[in-house]
Amino acid sequence: MVAARAYDQEAVGTNTALIALMTTLSGFAQLNLGPSISVLVPRAGEHGRRVVLRIYAVVTVYSLAILSVFLTFVLPHLSGLSDILGTTNRMLLFALAVLAFNMFALQDAVLASTGWGVAVPIENAVFGILKIGLLVLLAASLPEVGIFGSWLIPLLLIVPVVSCFIFRNQGRRPRTQATAPLRGESSRKLALDYFGYLFQASSTLLLPVLALGLLGPVRASVFAVAWLVSSTMDLLANNVGTALTVETSYGGDPAALRRTLLRSVVPFVGVVVLLGLVSAPLILKLYGSGYAAQGVLTLQILLLASVPRAVVTFAIAESRAHRRIGIIVWLRAQNAALTIGLCLLLTPRLGVEGMAIAWLVAQVAGAAAALLLVWRKTVTAIGATS
């Protein structure tokens, strides 16, 4: 909201695409090891910290390789973003942002897996407060890239502090609960999991970049604001999904856990979405009259997708705990094919709303596939006992 008020729509659209590009490249570079930490660290027992260090090292080296290829061969062909990253200094700052975001994204899973999950909301609250303050401070001095700068500076402050905390404090989870450590099949399944993640990143993190190319910076800013608001709803499911993976990996009863999700968490997401649908015009007015005039229907369509999206997220989280990676790849590939394909088909005809409809259709199809592949027996049992 602060960014939409303090910066013009073109800056909002361009900076949102730049941040989406940063998170997408970071996602590629993380090799999807963030979600896997929820399984690998509990099963590593007393060697969990060593696993984390190795993951950090591998991700950093891989990031440097990806950034080198991207900045040299891909960026020159992205006209909207190559203009804003046109100097060597800005390219270096962008690369630094990707490296820092890698660690920031991985830290939440490490904290949850080592018994310090209570620190996750504190860390993210500090990050959010710093971003808001910097948005205001940078609006006058950096109107073109101030939004991106409000992400970079807090990352450089928070990542070292949290890293020191992680490696100086012992995890609090009892190791005797952990299941058997993963053996030789880990590398193959991790590679397959990463392959699936490429589909996820292409159909989620990269959407604002796709919007910039299909809609132009002003209309892309409308989609960006609606996308960010609806994505906030998805954070609830994402973090509950991480907890589901951790608890299942520590030996929790999968049937009981998924019953709790389907009976309590999914309906709660539905209630939150309903409140969002009703208040969508008021929410967008807080961003500015331009967003309220053009983005209400887009936001409502994206919010509707949050309920089936939660079902997919929980199914993937449970499948990861049981190392059923083939199901994860299938769900993510299906989502990417439908989302990107429908965006390219509908956006030229329907504009901003076309991208939202594409996302909704893809999530409904994904939820149907998730219920069929993962939870069919549980849904039947819940219906019989209701």
Side-chain angles (χ1 to χ4, degrees):
M1 295 176 189
V2 174
R5 291 285 188 177
Y7 299 80
D8 61 45
Q9 280 191 260
E10 185 171 346
V12 171
T14 304
N15 276 256
T16 302
L18 186 59
I19 293 168
L21 182 62
M22 175 192 73
T23 56
T24 301
L25 291 176
S26 175
F28 289 163
Q30 290 171 44
L31 294 164
N32 201 37
L33 291 173
S36 297
I37 285 174
S38 302
V39 177
L40 296 176
V41 172
R43 295 186 177 185
E46 61 183 11
H47 302 296
R49 200 160 286 124
R50 186 185 307 170
V51 170
V52 173
L53 282 172
R54 289 177 178 175
I55 288 174
Y56 281 9
V58 168
V59 166
T60 300
V61 172
Y62 192 45
S63 296
L64 294 173
I66 286 179
L67 284 165
S68 299
V69 172
F70 173 79
L71 294 174
T72 303
F73 299 106
V74 180
L75 182 61
H77 300 287
L78 301 177
S79 57
L81 294 174
S82 60
D83 294 339
I84 201 171
L85 293 176
T87 66
T88 301
N89 287 337
R90 287 190 176 183
M91 286 186 186
L92 290 175
L93 287 174
F94 178 78
L96 182 61
V98 172
L99 295 175
F101 193 78
N102 288 343
M103 301 300 104
F104 182 79
L106 293 171
Q107 283 173 347
D108 284 1
V110 175
L111 289 168
S113 300
T114 55
W116 289 100
V118 68
V120 173
I122 298 174
E123 172 201 21
N124 285 278
V126 172
F127 182 51
I129 292 169
L130 289 174
K131 279 196 296 184
I132 291 173
L134 286 166
L135 279 172
V136 177
L137 292 176
L138 298 176
S141 57
L142 294 173
E144 188 181 19
V145 293
I147 300 174
F148 181 75
S150 71
W151 280 64
L152 173 60
I153 295 172
L155 286 173
L156 298 180
L157 295 174
I158 291 174
V159 167
V161 174
V162 176
S163 295
C164 289
F165 175 82
I166 288 173
F167 292 109
R168 299 185 106 187
N169 292 276
Q170 297 290 328
R172 299 185 298 180
R173 289 300 295 253
R175 301 302 176 192
T176 54
Q177 296 180 22
T179 56
L182 298 174
R183 301 291 182 183
E185 50 88 29
S186 293
S187 298
R188 179 177 59 82
K189 288 197 173 182
L190 287 175
L192 186 60
D193 201 5
Y194 175 61
F195 179 65
Y197 179 78
L198 296 180
F199 290 112
Q200 181 192 13
S202 300
S203 60
T204 54
L205 301 178
L206 207 57
L207 274 188
V209 180
L210 184 61
L212 182 64
L214 292 174
L215 298 168
V218 175
R219 289 198 297 166
S221 71
V222 176
F223 175 79
V225 167
W227 176 251
L228 291 172
V229 173
S230 65
S231 296
T232 302
M233 304 291 183
D234 294 336
L235 289 176
L236 172 63
N238 290 339
N239 286 283
V240 172
T242 298
L244 173 63
T245 302
V246 172
E247 294 303 321
T248 304
S249 298
Y250 272 112
D253 180 10
L257 290 169
R258 74 175 75 107
R259 279 197 301 269
T260 300
L261 292 175
L262 293 175
R263 287 175 170 172
S264 301
V265 180
V266 172
F268 178 73
V269 172
V271 171
V272 174
V273 166
L274 181 61
L275 293 175
L277 291 172
V278 174
S279 59
L282 298 176
I283 293 173
L284 289 181
K285 281 184 180 179
L286 297 174
Y287 288 85
S289 57
Y291 300 102
Q294 303 174 58
V296 171
L297 180 58
T298 299
L299 175 57
Q300 290 174 329
I301 295 171
L302 291 173
L303 288 173
L304 281 174
S306 295
V307 176
R309 178 68 178 170
V311 175
V312 176
T313 299
F314 298 150
I316 288 175
E318 181 178 328
S319 297
R320 176 171 294 107
H322 294 300
R323 312 307 294 157
R324 298 164 67 186
I325 307 302
I327 291 177
I328 297 176
V329 174
W330 173 262
L331 291 174
R332 287 177 167 172
Q334 172 185 294
N335 184 65
L338 287 175
T339 300
I340 296 175
L342 289 173
C343 278
L344 295 174
L345 177 66
L346 298 177
T347 303
R349 296 172 172 82
L350 302 177
V352 181
E353 290 84 359
M355 292 200 69
I357 292 171
W359 179 250
L360 174 60
V361 172
Q363 302 324 302
V364 172
L371 292 173
L372 180 64
L373 295 172
V374 182
W375 286 351
R376 180 172 53 185
K377 294 181 180 179
T378 300
V379 172
T380 303
I382 290 176
T385 57
S386 296

